[in-house]
Amino acid sequence: MERITLHDKTFRIFIPHNEIQKSIEELAKKMNQDFNASEVPLFLSVLNGSFMFTSDLLKHLNFQCELSFIKVSSYSGVESTGELKHILGLSADINGRTVVLVEDIVDTGATIVELYKMLTEAGAARVVICTLLLKPDAYKKDIPVEYVAMKIPNDFIVGYGLDYDELGRQYKDIYVLDTPSNQK
Ligand code: 5GP
Ligand code: MG
């Protein structure tokens, strides 16, 4: 599908599925080199947005790892509110562990800063950030974002797990808001 409509907005295709998959395979290759048998990291996937990314990424990892899910939210509509509304579901024991935080997208960085703090306070030995997408022009925080599959401009995107007010998560491609300013 070239264009989709969700609620009141139209989106056009931006990153096709095969490109997403290629970038994830590259990222997994890097992780496979960096992680080795001496530690079993805990992958902590941030729901809901990163469910597809987490699933596709983990299929390519060849070291032992654990997986758990948490939930947060800082978005309302198409803009980050900068405030976390909730952090739910951290049941895994993270004391002394290497935790790989798996995000769909890092925008202002408010979410990862909060989570980084929370996980460090909960005793994680090391918190590593891994994200499908990074908006480098929006991200102004100090925490290093070690694993990035793709960098994108400051546009609002949906699909491949990401939503616009809860719609659009199921698409296998990534779409961008079809505003006059970013029409090609
Ligand atoms: P941050 O806290 O870095 O500002 O934003 C992180 C969260 O905001 C992401 O996990 C994601 O849920 C949401 N977000 C940021 N940018 C976008 C975007 O372009 N599209 C969608 N659908 N969500 C976004
Ligand atoms: Mg999210």
Side-chain angles (χ1 to χ4, degrees):
M1 255 179 300
E2 271 304 305
R3 276 191 165 67
I4 54 170
T5 299
L6 306 169
H7 299 293
D8 57 334
K9 297 196 192 314
T10 305
F11 297 82
R12 68 173 162 77
I13 198 143
F14 184 52
I15 311 172
H17 188 69
N18 63 334
E19 261 181 55
I20 299 171
Q21 294 304 317
K22 247 194 294 174
S23 73
I24 293 173
E25 281 172 40
E26 284 304 308
L27 186 67
K29 229 184 264 174
K30 187 173 168 212
M31 286 186 146
N32 286 336
Q33 284 163 2
D34 293 355
F35 289 89
N36 54 56
S38 68
E39 61 177 341
V40 177
L42 170 66
F43 280 70
L44 214 48
S45 171
V46 185
L47 293 173
N48 298 325
S50 52
F51 79 98
M52 277 200 197
F53 172 47
T54 302
S55 164
D56 285 339
L57 175 68
L58 264 67
K59 288 169 202 162
H60 298 289
L61 300 182
N62 59 21
F63 53 91
Q64 308 248 316
C65 61
E66 291 178 19
L67 173 64
S68 195
F69 295 90
I70 53 170
K71 193 161 178 167
V72 299
S73 164
S74 72
Y75 246 69
S76 170
V78 296
E79 257 179 276
S80 182
T81 62
E83 263 171 59
L84 285 195
K85 285 176 192 150
H86 35 249
I87 301 174
L88 299 167
L90 183 63
S91 55
D93 182 13
I94 63 166
N95 204 29
R97 305 282 307 269
T98 291
V99 175
V100 181
L101 201 55
V102 185
E103 263 284 17
D104 50 0
I105 184 162
V106 174
D107 184 353
T108 65
T111 308
I112 58 166
V113 165
E114 261 329 286
L115 286 171
Y116 188 97
K117 221 168 66 191
M118 187 194 88
L119 295 168
T120 306
E121 280 166 13
R126 189 159 76 98
V127 179
V128 180
I129 312 291
C130 168
T131 185
L132 174 71
L133 299 158
L134 172 71
K135 293 180 180 173
D137 300 334
Y139 185 69
K140 301 281 177 263
K141 310 284 188 195
D142 298 329
I143 296 172
V145 186
E146 219 156 322
Y147 296 100
V148 179
M150 294 174 289
K151 292 179 182 169
I152 59 165
N154 267 353
D155 297 319
F156 186 74
I157 54 110
V158 294
Y160 195 72
L162 290 109
D163 71 307
Y164 168 44
D165 279 348
E166 296 309 326
L167 294 184
R169 295 194 194 277
Q170 80 266 31
Y171 297 101
K172 67 184 199 313
D173 307 297
I174 291 175
Y175 293 81
V176 68
L177 189 60
D178 204 8
T179 59
S181 65
N182 66 32
Q183 259 163 20
K184 278 196 194 126

